[in-house]
Structures are given as C-alpha cells and as structure tokens.
Amino acid sequence: MVAEPFVAAHSAHARDAVAHHIIHIFGKPIVMDVPISAVILSLIGAVALGKLVVSILVFLAETFLFTGESLKTFGAKQNRWAVITGCTSGIGEAFAKQLARAGFNVCLIGRNEESLRKLEQEISAKSPLVQTTVIPIDLSHPTPETFSAYSKWIAQPEVQVGVLVNNAGVSHSMPVSFAETTLEEMDNILQVNIHATLLLTRLTLPRLLTKKSTPGPKLKSLILNIGSFGGTVPSPLLATYSASKAFLATWNKALGEEVKKDGVVVRLVLPGFVVSKMSKIRRPSMMVPTPQTFVSSTLKSIGLNRGAQSRVYESTPYWTHAAMDYIVGFVPESITVWYNLRLHKDIRARALKKQQRDKLKSQ
Ligand SMILES: NC(=O)c1ccc[n+]([C@@H]2O[C@H](COP(=O)([O-])OP(=O)(O)OC[C@H]3O[C@@H](n4cnc5c(N)ncnc54)[C@H](OP(=O)(O)O)[C@@H]3O)[C@@H](O)[C@H]2O)c1
C-alpha cells in the first residue's frame, strides 16, 4: 500500500513495479531491482568470502609471522624433564637434541640401548647442564611389565616431567595392499603407533596433571603426538599406517579438550615428508626438510595451527607442509585419495625395482 506511490515516484521502471521486489526495513519500503534469491545468494557469498579471507590471513600470519608459546612455559631451564620416544634416529633424535639444548633434562626411550647411550653421550657433551636418562623399551610389546622401569622412574618425586613427545612410529616396509599386508607388520604398526602411545601417555599424564597443585611457578605441560598427513588424508596401500595415525588424530583431540583445564597443552604435529629412515628420502628439498629443520619449526610454533587451520589441537609446523595441508583442505577427498593411490603405486613400483636390484647385487 505504501510502496505503490514510492515506486511510481522513484523508479524509472514504475510500470514494471509488479516485477520488482519490495522489502520493508524499519518500516521503509525498499525496491529491489534484483530477485530476492540473488540478494540472499550474494549475502551467503559475501560471508563465505569473508571467512575465506580471514582464514587465509590467519594461515599466513601463523605460518610466516607468529611464533608459538615459549618453551619456558613448559619448564625449560627449570629442571624439568622431556620424555622422547623413538629418539635413536630421525625426528625423535632431533627432538631429544633440541629439547636438551633448550634446557630440558631428557629421558630417552627406544629399543636400541647402544644407540640410546651414544645419543646420551652426545647430548651430555653438547648440553652439560642437563641431566639424561636412558630407558630401553621395545614399544612393539607395550605392557605394564615392559614399561615397569619407566613407571618406577616417573614415580620419583624429584622427576618433574614438562614435555612428552610421542614420536616413535613405524610404517609399512613399502606400500602394499591391505590384502597382502602381513599380520606381523599390521600388529607391529598398531602396537607401536597406537598401544604404546596410549600406554605411555596414560602412565605419564597423572604426573603432568599434578603440576598445577605443586608449589613453585605455575608452569604448563606439553604433549606432542607425532601424526602424519597419512592420518589426515586416507592413504591407499598404507591403509594400516594411515588408519593408525587417524586413530591418534581423534584420540589427540579428545585428550586435548579433557586436559586443557589442567594446563596441559596437547598437539598433534603433522609432518609431510621429512628426510629419515622411514621416508627413505636422503636429500632435503623445499618440500622435504631435514628432521632438524622440521623439529625446529615445531618447537617455534607450539600452540599455532599453521596449515591445520580448521582442526583443533593440530599443527602443521613446517611452512611448505603447512601450505600443502591448507590447500588440500579445499580439495575433494575423492581426488586426494585417488592421488595418494597413484603416488603409492609409483613408490611401490620403485621399491620393488630396488629390491630386485639389491637381490641381483647380493648374488
Ligand atoms: N619421515 C617422514 O616423512 C614422516 C612423515 C609423516 C610422519 N612421520 C612420523 O614421524 C615419526 C618419526 O619418524 P621418522 O621419520 O623420524 O622415522 P625413523 O627415523 O624411522 O624413526 C622412528 C623411530 O621410532 C623407533 N622405533 C620403531 N619401532 C620401535 C619399537 N618397536 N620400539 C621402540 N622404538 C621404535 C625407531 O627406533 P630404531 O632406530 O630402533 O628403529 C626410531 O628411533 C613417526 O611417528 C612417523 O610416523 C614421519
């Protein structure tokens, strides 16, 4: 009723008024030259675009500008311990060395005592002020008995643990279909990657949770669980490994939320390819950092998601991995799973050729 004269007076298309939409905002009639559906779609588009722009800015800032929580928050140089599993090579070894250099006493866990002792000597020579202890455990048999030395060590009142790095992990010796995976390999992956991680964390957590009530400065504690892109994007031909890391991802999130109130920071750290025995990549490149570089970026970005923008309690610390993780978030899973199958078929073909060559050489 009010709209008719308004339209006639203000629109050159008055005779088409019936075709226009009129909406009332605060009682005032507004003539819409476009269909209402177009306005709604534009609003939805503007919100989506706004969200995307904010997310890109946060990703760039977290990856290239911000640094994470200081290691002092977790007790560096304050006589606190860092427990690291699988530190006889690769990423775990780099964690042990860098955490010692940052001022943590280090508890070295692995299955090869000789290598652990060598690492202990190296750390003591380079970081003479920190204490070290070696606890050999074969993580493929995680039981209260095999962990008894660790349980005794951590029960000592003077042992104050500030950091736990669940790093030890095993994958398939080469990409293989699930149907052809040996039961032994399957069991080894599940025991080391899942059972041992859960048991060690379960034994350590009560000692991390009590920190709030102990006298002295109020410090936080940190649990870093080393995941894998293979747990974020399903990896055909590495099905058991991929699923074991996906298990860790979900467990990590649930745990992170449970213990946040107690000052325990939990993070799933996601490497892409890193130079190591496991990846069988020997030369670093822009996409494949050395373990030292990878760990350094991890320890500088605690609490930041970087590439893992839409996922809680997760972090993709190294910048090229972060960019890949962020971009892959926009790609349909059907494409990423298909791509991973192709990638692993190719890796398997090359691994089989190498196996053949090695066999011929040894004859
Ligand atoms: N490198 C990559 O490209 C990559 C990518 C994604 C995720 N990750 C993850 O990063 C973590 C570290 O891997 P990495 O690349 O550094 O490989 P790595 O050099 O092979 O290190 C694995 C560590 O785990 C230890 N370990 C294996 N089985 C064990 C057992 N039964 N008991 C005790 N310790 C055992 C190994 O000890 P031994 O020396 O005795 O074998 C070694 O110290 C793993 O969780 C892995 O899944 C790596």
Side-chain angles (χ1 to χ4, degrees):
M1 286 171 290
V2 188
E4 193 74 30
F6 177 86
V7 171
H10 291 87
S11 172
H13 307 291
R15 57 184 181 282
D16 300 330
V18 282
H20 294 149
H21 297 276
I22 298 155
I23 59 166
H24 292 82
I25 295 179
F26 298 122
K28 283 195 171 184
I30 309 278
V31 179
M32 309 282 293
D33 278 347
V34 287
I36 199 98
S37 55
V39 175
I40 292 170
L41 285 177
S42 305
L43 280 175
I44 293 172
V47 171
L49 191 66
K51 258 183 81 177
L52 178 68
V53 169
V54 170
S55 144
I56 291 173
L57 290 177
V58 173
F59 160 70
L60 291 174
E62 284 198 352
T63 307
F64 298 106
L65 288 180
F66 297 165
T67 48
E69 288 194 65
S70 158
L71 286 173
K72 289 206 176 116
T73 318
F74 306 103
K77 297 189 177 142
Q78 291 159 78
N79 201 27
R80 274 194 157 198
W81 287 81
V83 177
I84 307 109
T85 66
C87 46
T88 44
S89 65
I91 295 173
E93 184 181 340
F95 265 118
K97 288 179 177 170
Q98 291 187 28
L99 285 168
R101 213 177 307 140
F104 285 97
N105 302 326
V106 284
C107 170
L108 310 172
I109 296 181
R111 62 181 160 181
N112 184 333
E113 185 166 358
E114 205 186 317
S115 306
L116 290 173
R117 296 273 170 221
K118 243 174 89 184
L119 175 65
E120 184 182 35
Q121 279 174 9
E122 224 182 294
I123 288 175
S124 299
K126 284 204 177 129
S127 313
L129 295 180
V130 305
Q131 299 175 57
T132 56
T133 191
V134 161
I135 306 186
I137 308 177
D138 182 348
L139 299 171
S140 63
H141 301 289
T143 63
E145 290 73 45
T146 52
F147 277 71
S148 66
Y150 180 75
S151 299
K152 273 187 208 143
W153 173 77
I154 202 169
Q156 302 172 86
E158 67 273 20
V159 171
Q160 299 277 310
V161 177
V163 179
L164 168 64
V165 185
N166 284 313
N167 162 78
V170 280
S171 184
H172 303 264
S173 56
M174 72 168 79
V176 58
S177 70
F178 183 67
E180 288 174 288
T181 307
T182 64
L183 297 186
E184 196 191 350
E185 184 166 82
M186 218 161 78
D187 189 52
N188 191 35
I189 292 171
L190 298 180
Q191 296 301 332
V192 176
N193 295 7
I194 299 179
H195 289 259
T197 302
L198 265 59
L199 180 56
L200 186 72
T201 308
R202 179 63 188 80
L203 293 172
T204 311
L205 200 53
R207 302 282 291 139
L208 299 178
L209 296 179
T210 55
K211 295 298 173 290
K212 265 197 153 177
S213 53
T214 52
K218 293 290 168 259
L219 296 171
K220 290 188 193 172
S221 303
L222 176 67
I223 300 178
L224 295 178
N225 296 307
I226 311 305
S228 168
F229 275 15
T232 311
V233 179
S235 298
L237 302 188
L238 295 178
T240 306
Y241 173 75
S242 174
S244 74
K245 293 294 185 178
F247 179 101
L248 286 188
T250 301
W251 166 76
N252 173 86
K253 279 182 199 171
L255 178 68
E257 190 64 22
E258 278 182 29
V259 298
K260 187 168 75 174
K261 64 177 188 336
D262 302 300
V264 184
V265 174
V266 176
R267 284 273 145 177
L268 184 80
V269 176
L270 293 162
F273 283 123
V274 174
V275 171
S276 84
K277 236 169 42 179
M278 179 188 281
S279 67
K280 299 187 178 75
I281 303 176
R282 271 178 267 158
R283 243 174 304 155
S285 62
M286 195 169 80
M287 289 307 292
V288 186
T290 61
Q292 294 75 16
T293 308
F294 177 77
V295 168
S296 162
S297 58
T298 303
L299 295 178
K300 281 183 191 143
S301 61
I302 293 161
L304 302 177
N305 288 51
R306 294 205 163 164
Q309 275 305 310
S310 54
R311 307 192 298 274
V312 288
Y313 302 117
E314 293 193 13
S315 175
T316 319
Y318 185 65
W319 75 276
T320 52
H321 297 169
M324 190 161 79
D325 189 8
Y326 186 70
I327 292 164
V328 164
F330 296 97
V331 179
E333 201 173 53
S334 54
I335 295 180
T336 51
V337 175
W338 165 82
Y339 174 81
N340 267 351
L341 176 62
R342 271 191 41 179
L343 176 75
H344 293 134
K345 266 187 183 168
D346 189 47
I347 295 175
R348 179 173 170 78
R350 277 185 281 140
L352 286 173
K353 268 190 199 158
K354 183 172 182 302
Q355 211 175 51
Q356 194 66 26
R357 274 200 310 272
D358 292 347
K359 208 171 154 189
L360 287 173
K361 260 192 225 162
S362 67
Q363 278 169 4

